[in-house]
Amino acid sequence: MKDWFTIDKIDRDTYIISEYRHWEETHCYLLNGTEHSLIIDTGLGICNIYDEVIKLTDKPVIAVATHIHWDHIGGHRYFRDFYAHRAELYWLNGGFPLTIETIRDMVTDRCDLPENYDVDTYEFFQGTPARVLEDEEKIDIGGRIIQVMHTPGHSPGHMCFWEAESGYLFTGDLVYKDTLFAYYPSTDPKAYLLSLEKISNLPVQRVFPAHHSLDMQPEILFRMRDAFRKLQAEGKLCHGSGTFDYGDWAVWL
């Protein structure tokens, strides 16, 4: 299990915990406050992310996921308290639309698995959140206020997390450099545009995605919004339209 996670420091109280040995290159973010720590996404769950988190904080840790997909909630089982958006509670209670066999195939796809790891033991996390989140709620971890931004499109209960004081925006799967997925039946391309409109109005200083390149500037929010606006104007913002490539990112509708 050694070397599964890579740790990067954003500032004195904020860390990135990444899983580069899987093709999705998932990033989780640990925000330390004076009373609690908040971990945004917990990765695939192949290795125990809690072992890394406790090296970086001595505060009680709350887990929250940008959305209830396996690569974002895999480590939730290691945290006593977790929060989730109301729109995806059914996915935490047996309602996820993919079989465990399909999920296990995706977990092992293009993945440098740890030696002796048995994928047949992999389970899709299920549970009851300590707190059900709604749009614009605030999570106070002591000296840091994190605002919930309900940003559906990639999934019904997708959330971005906004820290106004620092200008940090944690975008989950709504914004990252690579192909955005908006073709699943559970995605909503038109809602995706509305979510991009919403976050592009924020005075963002730094963008932190859930996957791939960490070299993200706030200007990408406007480029994505404008591209989605154009697709809508052309009648292409719908499932089945295809894949549209914009250089450093693309969208699959």
Side-chain angles (χ1 to χ4, degrees):
M1 302 295 183
K2 185 180 179 183
D3 300 327
W4 178 261
F5 297 105
T6 300
I7 312 297
D8 291 294
K9 192 171 185 177
I10 297 171
D11 60 39
R12 185 184 64 182
D13 295 311
T14 314
Y15 297 86
I16 310 170
I17 306 175
S18 303
E19 296 177 297
Y20 285 114
R21 287 170 57 178
H22 189 272
W23 74 271
E24 290 187 283
E25 299 177 321
T26 299
H27 306 299
C28 309
Y29 297 91
L30 180 67
L31 285 59
N32 292 333
T34 58
E35 301 296 328
H36 292 84
S37 292
L38 183 73
I39 186 162
I40 299 173
D41 292 336
T42 58
L44 287 154
I46 289 173
C47 295
N48 187 342
I49 195 171
Y50 182 76
D51 289 344
E52 302 303 320
V53 168
I54 59 175
K55 297 174 186 175
L56 304 171
T57 181
D58 59 359
K59 302 296 190 296
V61 183
I62 300 162
V64 67
T66 53
H67 58 300
I68 308 302
H69 284 174
W70 61 91
D71 51 323
H72 297 263
I73 62 166
H76 270 41
R77 67 182 181 272
Y78 301 115
F79 298 92
R80 185 183 67 182
D81 293 329
F82 76 94
Y83 301 165
H85 192 273
R86 184 175 302 280
E88 291 177 1
L89 295 182
Y90 64 107
W91 284 354
L92 289 163
N93 191 31
F96 196 71
L98 296 180
T99 66
I100 188 61
E101 290 76 21
T102 298
I103 293 170
R104 286 171 180 167
D105 285 344
M106 292 183 174
V107 167
T108 57
D109 182 34
R110 288 178 282 167
C111 181
D112 175 20
L113 287 170
E115 188 177 358
N116 299 323
Y117 180 77
D118 182 4
V119 71
D120 289 335
T121 66
Y122 189 88
E123 296 295 338
F124 185 81
F125 176 79
Q126 303 282 268
T128 302
R131 177 175 168 186
V132 176
L133 297 173
E134 304 281 0
D135 187 35
E136 297 188 0
E137 281 195 56
K138 292 180 172 62
I139 302 172
D140 185 349
I141 57 174
R144 302 182 75 171
I145 304 294
I146 314 302
Q147 184 172 337
V148 174
M149 309 287 291
H150 182 213
T151 49
H154 177 75
S155 70
H158 190 283
M159 297 176 285
C160 293
F161 295 95
W162 165 240
E163 186 175 28
E165 185 171 348
S166 63
Y168 292 172
L169 180 67
F170 302 89
T171 59
D173 281 10
L174 188 77
V175 170
Y176 57 80
K177 284 186 176 180
D178 206 281
T179 302
L180 305 176
F181 293 160
Y183 68 92
Y184 297 123
S186 56
T187 65
D188 184 337
K190 289 182 171 54
Y192 212 120
L193 171 57
L194 293 176
S195 294
L196 290 171
E197 298 277 7
K198 185 175 186 174
I199 63 172
S200 64
N201 286 327
L202 299 171
V204 177
Q205 297 298 310
R206 296 189 67 180
V207 177
F208 296 105
H211 298 289
H212 306 303
S213 176
L214 291 166
D215 181 17
M216 300 277 287
Q217 301 302 319
E219 56 82 26
I220 199 170
L221 305 178
F222 304 106
R223 285 197 285 124
M224 287 186 174
R225 178 202 64 191
D226 293 346
F228 270 71
R229 282 178 177 176
K230 188 172 186 291
L231 289 170
Q232 183 179 56
E234 294 172 350
K236 298 176 181 175
L237 193 60
C238 55
H239 289 152
S241 291
T243 300
F244 300 88
D245 193 333
Y246 300 98
D248 57 351
W249 69 280
V251 59
W252 184 358
L253 295 168

